[in-house]
Amino acid sequence: MFTIGPEGVTIDLKGSEELQRQLLRMKTDDLPRATATAIRYAASAAPAAVSKELKQRYQLPAARIRKDVKVPRVGPTAERAEVKLNRRPVTAMQFGARQIGERRPRRGLGRGKGWEGLKPSRRHGLAWKIMRGERRRFTPYGFIGKAPQGGLLPYIRRKDGTLKVVHGPSVHGMFTGGRHEAEAKQEVAKVLLDRLEVGMRRGIRQFGRER
C-alpha cells in the first residue's frame, strides 16, 4: 500500500499479470523485502511528481513545493508508506508577491518633527498570483518588510497596529482540495504506480527465490 496524505493518493500494489505470477512463485519469506523495495522506490519519486503537477497550475517554484513533500523512511519489510504534505500555508512571497505604489510622508511631518506614518500617494499594496493564467490579485496596503529570522515577508497591518503575514494556500491544500485536485491526483498516481511496478521487479531480482 502506498498513500499520499489522508485525503490524497492511495495505490494498491497489484501490477501486471506477469508481475503477479512472479510474486506467486516467490518464497513467502522474500516477499516482504521485495515489497519494501518497491514502496521505497515509489516513495522517492513522490516529491518530483507532486511538484511537477502543482507547478503547472500554481505560481509556486518546484523547489518550494518539493520542500513540503515529506518522504518517510521505509523499513526493510515495510508494507506501506505515507508521504506527508505540509499543511502550513505558503507566504505570498513564494507566489511572487511584489509591492506596488509609492508612499510619501504625511504633510507637515519631517526630519526632527517625528514620523507618525506614511500615506499612500496612489494605489498601494501587494500584487501576487496563486494560479497560473489568472489575473494578479491585490492586497490593499500590504507591504514587504523584514522577517524576524531574516529575509523578507509580506505583511498587512491590522487595525490594532499589529502585523499579519499574508499567506496563500498550503501544498496540502493545493493537492487535496484545489481546483485541479482530481487531475493532479490522477497524474501523480500514474507516475507512482509505474515506479511501484518497476521497484517490485527490482525487488524480485534482488530478493526473489522461487519456491
Side-chain angles (χ1 to χ4, degrees):
M1 182 74 74
F2 181 82
T3 62
I4 295 187
E7 305 90 4
V9 176
T10 300
I11 299 174
D12 291 315
L13 181 59
K14 294 180 180 178
S16 63
E17 293 182 4
E18 174 59 27
L19 181 60
Q20 290 297 308
R21 285 194 292 269
Q22 293 181 41
L23 292 174
L24 290 174
R25 291 198 298 266
M26 286 181 64
K27 287 189 175 183
T28 306
D29 293 343
D30 296 330
L31 188 56
R33 290 187 296 174
T35 302
T37 298
I39 292 174
R40 189 180 302 110
Y41 188 68
S44 66
V50 172
S51 67
K52 178 182 178 182
E53 288 306 313
L54 294 185
K55 186 178 182 299
Q56 292 177 8
R57 300 168 176 85
Y58 292 89
Q59 193 76 19
L60 194 62
R64 180 61 182 80
I65 298 171
R66 288 195 297 270
K67 181 181 176 182
D68 280 359
V69 182
K70 306 299 181 184
V71 178
R73 179 183 177 276
V74 179
T77 58
E79 296 181 353
R80 68 187 303 272
E82 182 176 345
V83 175
K84 303 286 188 179
L85 302 181
N86 200 330
R87 294 172 179 264
R88 187 174 182 176
V90 180
T91 71
M93 287 295 290
Q94 299 295 327
F95 290 99
R98 59 187 180 88
Q99 187 173 316
I100 62 173
E102 298 175 355
R103 309 214 304 180
R104 63 174 180 231
R106 290 179 182 172
R107 183 174 297 179
L109 298 176
R111 193 180 302 277
K113 299 180 180 179
W115 295 87
E116 296 180 1
L118 296 174
K119 179 181 179 181
S121 61
R122 58 187 178 90
R123 193 177 188 224
H124 173 76
L126 293 174
W128 55 299
K129 187 191 301 185
I130 293 179
M131 302 290 299
R132 291 188 180 276
E134 73 174 6
R135 295 183 61 184
R136 285 188 176 272
R137 58 186 61 204
F138 181 71
T139 303
Y141 303 109
F143 62 95
I144 295 173
K146 291 184 178 180
Q149 297 81 17
L152 299 173
L153 281 176
Y155 294 104
I156 190 168
R157 192 176 298 278
R158 296 187 180 99
K159 291 182 178 180
D160 61 2
T162 60
L163 298 179
K164 176 184 176 182
V165 178
V166 181
H167 289 98
S170 66
V171 168
H172 179 277
M174 287 184 276
F175 187 76
T176 62
R179 190 185 307 171
H180 302 283
E181 172 190 359
E183 186 179 352
K185 286 182 178 180
Q186 184 179 15
E187 292 302 316
V188 170
K190 287 180 183 178
V191 173
L192 299 185
L193 189 57
D194 288 344
R195 293 272 296 196
L196 205 58
E197 184 159 337
V198 172
M200 196 69 216
R201 295 185 188 282
R202 287 186 172 191
I204 291 172
R205 289 195 300 270
Q206 185 175 358
F207 300 108
R209 295 176 297 171
E210 293 193 2
R211 297 178 183 180

